[in-house]
Amino acid sequence: MISLPIPKFTGATFPKPLRLWALPAVSLLLIAVDRFFGGMDSVQANMLAAIAIVLAGIPHGTLDVEIAAAHFGQHGIIGKANIIGSYLGCAAAMVFLWLQIPELALVTFLIISIVHFSRDWRGGVDPFLAMMVGWALVALPALASPDDVAMIFAALTGSDNGKVIAALLGAASVPAALGSLVFAYWAIRHNDTQSALEVLACIVAALFLPPLVAFALFFCGLHSPRHMADALRATGALSPLKKTAIIFAVFALSLGLGVLMFLYQGEVAADMGVIRAAFILISTLTVPHFILEHILSRKQSA
């Protein structure tokens, strides 16, 4: 079986044709369904996309404490308690930011997402090009569907400032899209067809699908499964039973936090409340996950 060079995160091992064509095929299928039958931008579709993002996004960070403990040699109760405390502190800081300065919380989440997603394709390529891909994934929906993104951002911030952030994000998306095309060209020239097709499929989806559906396609179909597979390998020393117990316990606690966020967010329409709670939850969990990834990346490169 031939393995294509995936940077840092290798993901699960599937037959080569499936790895090459699954994401592009699903992207084109969803675009065709949306064009001929519609419904992808309905309230129900957006709510399902938001729920899918949460359900797919939580698991790939559930083993972070075990990964950190293994890398830092903190296998005792006190060591793991310190890691958990640091993790919860970062998450709490993000929640506080959403409560006090939601605009700054949103911008912070967008920047972290750009850097975090770019790491999916950092393998021999100039990090700047990989950053363009992460930037395009986050910004292009604001160019292709400005009203939808403005509405989501306004709900997240609770003010029209969200619309301003959406407009600025859309205006800054064109250089990122061009950089992503350069990345795809580089990947093809270096016999990394998989990375090229992944990027092109995600870019096309961001341009022609509703924002939440396009993001769910990338997040649930590529990013989360790849990171989850790597997390499972990184914790190979744990027994399958203990690993499963940790995943379900952290997943349940995180989902409970998301439910609380939904219930105590004030007067918000149910559909937008689900989307708002989903994104705030994911951002809250992303910050400590991103910091850990950054620390481990620096440690590995040292």
Side-chain angles (χ1 to χ4, degrees):
M1 184 177 294
I2 300 174
S3 295
L4 294 179
I6 296 296
K8 186 181 176 186
F9 303 107
T10 54
T13 301
F14 297 107
K16 181 180 177 182
L18 182 61
R19 286 184 284 126
L20 280 175
W21 300 108
L23 191 65
V26 173
S27 299
L28 293 176
L29 177 62
L30 290 177
I31 292 171
V33 169
D34 189 41
R35 289 296 178 271
F36 289 105
F37 302 102
M40 287 290 177
D41 59 349
S42 65
V43 171
Q44 294 82 359
N46 283 328
M47 289 180 65
L48 286 175
I51 293 171
I53 290 167
V54 169
L55 296 180
I58 292 176
H60 79 268
T62 52
L63 294 170
D64 280 359
V65 172
E66 297 298 327
I67 293 173
H71 277 272
F72 300 121
Q74 301 293 322
H75 299 287
I77 295 178
I78 295 178
K80 287 188 178 180
N82 288 333
I83 294 173
I84 293 173
S86 300
Y87 211 88
L88 292 176
C90 293
M94 192 61 180
V95 172
F96 179 80
L97 201 58
W98 277 111
L99 293 174
Q100 298 301 317
I101 319 176
E103 294 84 0
L104 180 57
L106 176 58
V107 172
T108 300
F109 180 46
L110 292 173
I111 293 173
I112 287 176
S113 297
I114 290 170
V115 178
H116 184 52
F117 296 154
S118 75
R119 294 183 182 276
D120 282 6
W121 290 286
R122 290 192 185 185
V125 69
D126 187 327
F128 178 77
L129 284 181
M131 193 73 72
M132 290 296 100
V133 177
W135 181 1
L137 292 175
V138 172
L140 273 179
L143 177 68
S145 306
D147 293 338
D148 291 339
V149 175
M151 181 175 62
I152 293 171
F153 283 9
L156 288 173
T157 60
S159 71
D160 286 342
N161 292 335
K163 297 180 180 180
V164 175
I165 296 173
L168 293 174
L169 189 65
S173 64
V174 175
L178 295 176
S180 298
L181 295 178
V182 174
F183 174 92
Y185 173 76
W186 175 92
I188 292 172
R189 287 292 302 271
H190 289 79
N191 299 316
D192 190 0
T193 309
Q194 180 179 349
S195 291
L197 289 175
E198 288 173 353
V199 169
L200 292 174
C202 290
I203 295 303
V204 169
L207 288 172
F208 295 103
L209 286 174
L212 284 177
V213 176
F215 182 70
L217 177 66
F218 159 70
F219 198 71
C220 304
L222 181 65
H223 179 79
S224 294
R226 178 175 289 172
H227 283 245
M228 187 69 219
D230 291 328
L232 292 172
R233 278 192 293 272
T235 53
L238 292 178
S239 68
L241 181 60
K242 184 176 181 180
K243 203 177 295 188
T244 302
I246 292 172
I247 291 172
F248 275 99
V250 177
F251 181 86
L253 290 172
S254 301
L255 202 57
L257 176 61
V259 172
L260 289 175
M261 288 179 174
F262 173 74
L263 294 175
Y264 293 98
Q265 59 182 330
E267 296 295 327
V268 182
D271 57 325
M272 194 53 66
V274 169
I275 294 170
R276 187 172 185 269
F279 271 86
I280 292 177
L281 175 64
I282 289 297
S283 71
T284 299
L285 300 175
T286 295
V287 169
H289 177 70
F290 170 80
I291 293 173
L292 174 62
E293 179 189 70
H294 181 70
I295 293 173
L296 296 182
S297 177
R298 289 177 63 89
K299 184 179 178 183
Q300 291 170 358
S301 61

